[in-house]
Amino acid sequence: MLVQKTLRGAILKVSRRGFIKGTVVAGVGLSLSELGVNVPNVYAATKEFKLSNSREYTSICTFCACGCGMVCNVKDNKLINLEGDPDHVVNEGGLCSKGASMSVLPNSTERIQTPLYRAPGSDTWQEITWQDAIDRVANNIKTVRDENWISSEVMGGKTYQVNRCDSMGIIGSAQVNNEECYLMAKMARLMGVAYLEHQARLCHSSTVPALNASFGRGAMTNSWNDLKNAKVILIEGSNAAENHPMSVKWMMRAKEQGATIIHVDPRFTRTSKISDIHAQIRPGTDIAFLGAIINYTLSNNLCDEDFLRTHTNANYLVNKDFAFTEGLFSGFDETTQKYDRATWGYQLDSKGKPKKTNDMTHPDSVLSRLKEHYKRYDFKLASDITGVPVDEIKKIAEVYVGNRPGTIMYALGMTQHTVGVQNIRSFGVLQLLLGNVGKPGSGINALRGEPNVQGSTDFALLFDYLPGYISCPNNNQPDIDTWAKTSGTFRAKFLVNLLKSWFGNNATAANDYLYSLLPKKNADTNYSIYRIFETATEDKMKFLFIMGQNPMVTSPNLNLVHAGLSKVKTLVVSDLFMTETAAFWEKPGVDPKSINTEVIFLPAASFLEKDGTLINSSRMVQWRYGGIKPVGEAKPDLEIIDLIYTKVRELYKDSTDKKDDIFKKAVWKYPKSDMSEFVLKEINGYNLKTGELLNGIGEIQADGTTSTGNWLYAGVFAKGENKSKRKDNKTDPSGLGLYPNFAWTWPGNMRILYNRASCDATGKPYDDKNKLIWWNEASKKWIGYDTPDVPVMTDGPSTPNGQKAFRMNGEGIGRLIASQYKDPDAIAGKFRDASATPADGPIPEFYEPVESPTDNALHPTVASNPCLKYPRIASMQLIGKREDFPYVLCTSSITEHWCGGGVTRNMPWLNELMKETHIEMPLKLAAKLNVKNGDSVKVTSARGEVLVKAMVTERIQTLQINNEEVTVVWMPYNWGFKGLSTAASTNLLTIDAGDPNTWIQETKACLVNVEKA
Amino acid sequence: MNNLKPLAAKWIEQHPFLEEIGATYLCIYDVLQKYKAPIAKDIDWDIFKDDIQNGVPILRSGAAEIVDYDFAADIFYELTRLAFNECLPAEFCDKIIVINSMLDKNKKLAIDILKTVSQSDVTDLESMIKDSEANLGVVSFFAWIAIAFTIEPYLPSLMKWVEENNWQEAYCPTCGSEPVMAELKKTKKGRTRFLSCGACKTKWSYKRIGCPYCGNTDQESLGLIEVEEEGDIRIDLCDKCESYLKTYIGLGMGGIELEDWSSVHIDVICNGTKYKKHGAVLIAK
């Protein structure tokens, strides 16, 4: 209540509500009649006025995953203006050059407006109707599915039903909305597709298992806005200023408060320009660099000891048989190139729980074993490997370790390596040691590069998951019970709910929720995107549907990709513009007559022409309004998927074949209007007893009485409100930039993951001035400005649940060593959840890239990742030697163009800003080759060659590596032979050797030769 | 406000059809031009913090007084002397002369009226002027001009402070009135929408898309009308509460563009529609 004095001195108590209600303001302006004014001229003038209707609507940008808001103005179904949304909490009215150029997108004459067909051997496209297009797609699916169906497989002498077709592949998209990703995943699995993939495999697939192994979840821990709360920011393997431009806004806020920015990258870029310290590092050596900082922290006792004891496994006892010798961890099998991870666990008590010690210096403690492992990584060794001078590494270590909270930002410079997972695991180790997790201004910020790549990953357009990071069943897991023996009872609940979403009332406990109908992948098979093209070259892949991705530019080793596409029987591409992938048969130098692939092009609506949600890098689910109709006959991908699935189902309607039962059992009935919101509700989930939408994850039941298409999204429609539409950009009681009523974040609207770790063991915030959550003894609850990241809100610090800051790990704590561990479930007698352990080691270890200019200084006999299996096809995956290819090539993207350039190279403004590809090389190399700026040079690798212009620069310097001079060159990868700007594709050069955990390719480090052309 | 006369003259030059109504306002601005803007006292706006964070406008807060009522009363009285100026319509002058008589040699009444108006206490105001039979609307009109003139020097710092304190209501943070116009203005946060108070002339930022009168944010039920001949002003429509809001989107004309009368032609356009105006009524339905 407020005290308000009236004129006469009386005291009134006026509540805000009372004020509003009691305010009856007399019109402050007078009417014309009161003014005694006649305005006949005004009336006369307005009769001649020409009026037109328009409207404004908001959308979210379609490039990097900053998730910037846009305001669009549309008139007569034409976009007439597009600008940054001033009310948006991330971009605050700003847009980068790419985002601002999107006003051109719906008006571009280059957009494909009708379905197209390219007959086998033809050199032209012909326009076809949508009905014809969908009929062709559906008939092809049916034919390939019927002719290549695998109903059962033998594994370990036992026959299992597998319901799969390995001759169909679907490549989804991080470009499309969540609802589209969800339906694509649903359609693919219902049709028996195992080869379901998308961009995330190529960009951040190593992030998920790495962060998962450390913290329990695979997502960016904090948010764009939260960068402002950091005292030190380490950007490694990212050119954030160019590729995530809005992040700079928040970094600069931190800098205004005195924060120091450190940039570690192979080039001096625009990001380096805004940084206080820049270190030029050799691509592929980050583990050695970070290893030196970790060693500095450990050997100087600079760890956050309270944090280590409370929130990590530092004082757990490691299995005595665990060892690391000469580049190999215990359990390595040279024949299979795999580890037996039995020795990577803890010493367990009789209940299967890890043994702990009060003395962290105990020789078996995780902390001691970690110290032992990292003691080899001194500054000198790191300098020899990375090329960063000793003094610089030392300075960075001192600054980063000496200022807390510190946050880390990274992108593909860390992920795209054969040690991608371990690169990011190094961040996990460092941040846990420093107590830099779960607090404002801390964390590990994976800068996701596509607008909805978090969503497309959440919805599992990846062969190894079902929506919600539920492991995709293997052929030797015939029922949920068996599946749960590997994946845990905790996740089995979510699988049941997914099956209820997909099969409705047909899914019952008695029929194991129709789990048996799901496709089961072969446990020993790699179904990644690389294998899609490789199996195509082997004539195994017959039908390929690619939606919103351009692998003929973005995939590595493009000659292999082209060879694969040339062998596919039917290729279906859904996109906005003609892409190099759809038109692969038009590639310069190729005779179309020699290619018998039929191609169907489906024109897709752009993001401005459809509604739905997407989720940005910091897990913020936001609604895009569809303010204009799609151009020509283009259709939203949601509608395209629906048309294809319903047509395929129709083709099977009379089938009595058991393999086709799934079409009769699955629930697939979506309305034509407001379809996105309908699908979002299915994703959110329902209480099937009441028919009401679920309000949160806590309401999900294991007994079939609830459904959810993705348990992480339960609550996005809480209380019937589409929370992705919320726009309150002012309410922020924390003052930390949480904005809890702006859109919605998973899980449960949590803004900062693991925020329990911002409190000590008693539940008291470590930093009372910057607190997120705390234990309230009076109400016996966890409360705060953010959604507390605790298993049960009422389980206080004195309970086991009250000490699980990393509750999604089996142990419930942060994992310095990512040990093998399954949390026993006392009730069911099974294990509840398993912690993730990388295939190539529980602790990061430095290995050289597959193509390296030097020897491994730590263990020359184990130079590169020992678990790496490459080449997979010897004839097409050659490994270059340093004698022939002496320079290290690093590739990445630029501000003006994005990924495969399918959209941006059709934007005239952007082509004016950056018209062609080029190679950036140091002065010293240019002098050696007698090359000047703008000269044409030939770049060759073991896989291909390109002609490009030279950009001679001081932004890259030659490095001293193991006492030898090493030269790094750099190229953008955004070009191809279609679009308004054409140039050679850099990925003709790059290598497709992959990380053994996720197969992500090593596009950041391969060897090339450069010659003056 | 004492610089509005030349701006108004320029505006009328560009919009000759506004000459009739403009003449009336030119007379009013002429009066204001005689006065020097008061010097703003140093005010620690934080004394209003609790109130503003609870949605109570500055003039309704008991925390401090920012209106110089003595000075405002002088202006108020001087405005009523326009009754003797031949430039105003006779019908209007008839109403003003009643007020002038009421206030003549009664400054205390003028001050009391101003204080009552600033509180938007209509009941008290009615009882104050009942005996004189003065027109409530005209009293309120002139009173707000006088009040606005005296608080104008405070507005820059006040508006800045209000922004820092995240005012997110649709009514004026200074006086509590509904906005009479809006403006899209380039700021560090892109083109931000500012609502404009027709009473005390305060401007405050408000969400870019959404109806300030009913809070509707459903984009399907929000529309715009653009006028080819007046490209700098658009009409924001809300189908939910059937209201309209004139929004200036040009580069600025020194403030005259947000004076309600200067876009009366836009009101004329809306007059034939289902949409209603809030905050002030220039055109009677």
Side-chain angles (χ1 to χ4, degrees), chain A residues 948-960:
Chain A
V948 291
K949 281 186 181 166
M951 177 183 176
V952 181
T953 176
E954 291 183 56
R955 302 196 300 192
I956 309 177
Q957 300 290 326
T958 48
L959 300 170
Q960 281 298 313

PDB file of all heavy atoms in Angstrom, chain A residues 948-960:
ATOM      1  N   VAL A 948      41.594 -19.537 -55.883  1.00  0.00           N
ATOM      2  CA  VAL A 948      41.003 -18.410 -55.152  1.00  0.00           C
ATOM      3  C   VAL A 948      41.966 -17.232 -55.162  1.00  0.00           C
ATOM      4  O   VAL A 948      43.142 -17.378 -55.519  1.00  0.00           O
ATOM      5  CB  VAL A 948      40.690 -18.774 -53.680  1.00  0.00           C
ATOM      6  CG1 VAL A 948      39.554 -19.756 -53.579  1.00  0.00           C
ATOM      7  CG2 VAL A 948      41.932 -19.297 -52.971  1.00  0.00           C
ATOM      8  N   LYS A 949      41.453 -16.071 -54.746  1.00  0.00           N
ATOM      9  CA  LYS A 949      42.319 -14.902 -54.639  1.00  0.00           C
ATOM     10  C   LYS A 949      43.030 -14.895 -53.289  1.00  0.00           C
ATOM     11  O   LYS A 949      42.487 -15.388 -52.290  1.00  0.00           O
ATOM     12  CB  LYS A 949      41.493 -13.630 -54.788  1.00  0.00           C
ATOM     13  CG  LYS A 949      41.159 -13.318 -56.231  1.00  0.00           C
ATOM     14  CD  LYS A 949      40.472 -11.988 -56.357  1.00  0.00           C
ATOM     15  CE  LYS A 949      40.136 -11.738 -57.829  1.00  0.00           C
ATOM     16  NZ  LYS A 949      39.194 -10.637 -57.993  1.00  0.00           N
ATOM     17  N   ALA A 950      44.185 -14.300 -53.288  1.00  0.00           N
ATOM     18  CA  ALA A 950      44.970 -14.234 -52.050  1.00  0.00           C
ATOM     19  C   ALA A 950      44.652 -12.941 -51.292  1.00  0.00           C
ATOM     20  O   ALA A 950      44.469 -11.885 -51.885  1.00  0.00           O
ATOM     21  CB  ALA A 950      46.453 -14.269 -52.378  1.00  0.00           C
ATOM     22  N   MET A 951      44.576 -13.080 -49.994  1.00  0.00           N
ATOM     23  CA  MET A 951      44.479 -11.912 -49.129  1.00  0.00           C
ATOM     24  C   MET A 951      45.689 -11.986 -48.196  1.00  0.00           C
ATOM     25  O   MET A 951      45.756 -12.834 -47.309  1.00  0.00           O
ATOM     26  CB  MET A 951      43.176 -11.960 -48.322  1.00  0.00           C
ATOM     27  CG  MET A 951      43.038 -10.817 -47.348  1.00  0.00           C
ATOM     28  SD  MET A 951      41.515 -11.028 -46.404  1.00  0.00           S
ATOM     29  CE  MET A 951      41.660  -9.666 -45.286  1.00  0.00           C
ATOM     30  N   VAL A 952      46.644 -11.128 -48.459  1.00  0.00           N
ATOM     31  CA  VAL A 952      47.900 -11.162 -47.700  1.00  0.00           C
ATOM     32  C   VAL A 952      47.718 -10.278 -46.470  1.00  0.00           C
ATOM     33  O   VAL A 952      47.275  -9.136 -46.574  1.00  0.00           O
ATOM     34  CB  VAL A 952      49.068 -10.653 -48.569  1.00  0.00           C
ATOM     35  CG1 VAL A 952      50.371 -10.722 -47.798  1.00  0.00           C
ATOM     36  CG2 VAL A 952      49.158 -11.481 -49.853  1.00  0.00           C
ATOM     37  N   THR A 953      48.034 -10.824 -45.321  1.00  0.00           N
ATOM     38  CA  THR A 953      47.629 -10.146 -44.096  1.00  0.00           C
ATOM     39  C   THR A 953      48.629 -10.329 -42.962  1.00  0.00           C
ATOM     40  O   THR A 953      49.393 -11.298 -42.933  1.00  0.00           O
ATOM     41  CB  THR A 953      46.255 -10.699 -43.647  1.00  0.00           C
ATOM     42  OG1 THR A 953      45.906 -10.115 -42.406  1.00  0.00           O
ATOM     43  CG2 THR A 953      46.291 -12.197 -43.482  1.00  0.00           C
ATOM     44  N   GLU A 954      48.560  -9.373 -42.059  1.00  0.00           N
ATOM     45  CA  GLU A 954      49.327  -9.516 -40.818  1.00  0.00           C
ATOM     46  C   GLU A 954      48.488 -10.182 -39.744  1.00  0.00           C
ATOM     47  O   GLU A 954      48.933 -10.352 -38.616  1.00  0.00           O
ATOM     48  CB  GLU A 954      49.779  -8.138 -40.324  1.00  0.00           C
ATOM     49  CG  GLU A 954      50.830  -7.492 -41.224  1.00  0.00           C
ATOM     50  CD  GLU A 954      51.308  -6.169 -40.655  1.00  0.00           C
ATOM     51  OE1 GLU A 954      51.771  -6.155 -39.506  1.00  0.00           O
ATOM     52  OE2 GLU A 954      51.203  -5.158 -41.369  1.00  0.00           O
ATOM     53  N   ARG A 955      47.262 -10.500 -40.102  1.00  0.00           N
ATOM     54  CA  ARG A 955      46.355 -11.067 -39.085  1.00  0.00           C
ATOM     55  C   ARG A 955      46.718 -12.512 -38.738  1.00  0.00           C
ATOM     56  O   ARG A 955      46.201 -13.071 -37.775  1.00  0.00           O
ATOM     57  CB  ARG A 955      44.908 -10.983 -39.568  1.00  0.00           C
ATOM     58  CG  ARG A 955      44.494  -9.547 -39.882  1.00  0.00           C
ATOM     59  CD  ARG A 955      43.026  -9.360 -39.977  1.00  0.00           C
ATOM     60  NE  ARG A 955      42.391 -10.163 -41.005  1.00  0.00           N
ATOM     61  CZ  ARG A 955      41.134  -9.992 -41.409  1.00  0.00           C
ATOM     62  NH1 ARG A 955      40.406  -9.034 -40.846  1.00  0.00           N
ATOM     63  NH2 ARG A 955      40.595 -10.751 -42.341  1.00  0.00           N
ATOM     64  N   ILE A 956      47.550 -13.121 -39.596  1.00  0.00           N
ATOM     65  CA  ILE A 956      48.095 -14.432 -39.236  1.00  0.00           C
ATOM     66  C   ILE A 956      49.610 -14.319 -39.301  1.00  0.00           C
ATOM     67  O   ILE A 956      50.152 -13.773 -40.265  1.00  0.00           O
ATOM     68  CB  ILE A 956      47.656 -15.543 -40.219  1.00  0.00           C
ATOM     69  CG1 ILE A 956      46.144 -15.543 -40.420  1.00  0.00           C
ATOM     70  CG2 ILE A 956      48.110 -16.910 -39.722  1.00  0.00           C
ATOM     71  CD1 ILE A 956      45.671 -16.566 -41.441  1.00  0.00           C
ATOM     72  N   GLN A 957      50.260 -14.818 -38.291  1.00  0.00           N
ATOM     73  CA  GLN A 957      51.720 -14.833 -38.272  1.00  0.00           C
ATOM     74  C   GLN A 957      52.186 -16.284 -38.343  1.00  0.00           C
ATOM     75  O   GLN A 957      51.477 -17.189 -37.903  1.00  0.00           O
ATOM     76  CB  GLN A 957      52.240 -14.206 -36.966  1.00  0.00           C
ATOM     77  CG  GLN A 957      51.816 -12.763 -36.745  1.00  0.00           C
ATOM     78  CD  GLN A 957      52.495 -11.795 -37.707  1.00  0.00           C
ATOM     79  OE1 GLN A 957      53.646 -11.993 -38.088  1.00  0.00           O
ATOM     80  NE2 GLN A 957      51.785 -10.744 -38.105  1.00  0.00           N
ATOM     81  N   THR A 958      53.362 -16.496 -38.910  1.00  0.00           N
ATOM     82  CA  THR A 958      53.911 -17.854 -38.876  1.00  0.00           C
ATOM     83  C   THR A 958      54.249 -18.207 -37.419  1.00  0.00           C
ATOM     84  O   THR A 958      54.578 -17.325 -36.620  1.00  0.00           O
ATOM     85  CB  THR A 958      55.188 -17.978 -39.740  1.00  0.00           C
ATOM     86  OG1 THR A 958      56.046 -16.902 -39.416  1.00  0.00           O
ATOM     87  CG2 THR A 958      54.843 -17.922 -41.212  1.00  0.00           C
ATOM     88  N   LEU A 959      54.155 -19.482 -37.102  1.00  0.00           N
ATOM     89  CA  LEU A 959      54.316 -19.929 -35.714  1.00  0.00           C
ATOM     90  C   LEU A 959      55.558 -20.795 -35.558  1.00  0.00           C
ATOM     91  O   LEU A 959      56.000 -21.442 -36.523  1.00  0.00           O
ATOM     92  CB  LEU A 959      53.091 -20.754 -35.292  1.00  0.00           C
ATOM     93  CG  LEU A 959      51.726 -20.049 -35.330  1.00  0.00           C
ATOM     94  CD1 LEU A 959      50.611 -21.059 -35.125  1.00  0.00           C
ATOM     95  CD2 LEU A 959      51.656 -18.958 -34.270  1.00  0.00           C
ATOM     96  N   GLN A 960      56.083 -20.816 -34.354  1.00  0.00           N
ATOM     97  CA  GLN A 960      57.162 -21.737 -34.023  1.00  0.00           C
ATOM     98  C   GLN A 960      56.566 -22.933 -33.305  1.00  0.00           C
ATOM     99  O   GLN A 960      56.044 -22.815 -32.194  1.00  0.00           O
ATOM    100  CB  GLN A 960      58.191 -21.061 -33.106  1.00  0.00           C
ATOM    101  CG  GLN A 960      59.171 -20.148 -33.820  1.00  0.00           C
ATOM    102  CD  GLN A 960      60.035 -20.891 -34.828  1.00  0.00           C
ATOM    103  OE1 GLN A 960      60.595 -21.954 -34.527  1.00  0.00           O
ATOM    104  NE2 GLN A 960      60.135 -20.356 -36.046  1.00  0.00           N
TER     105      GLN A 960
END
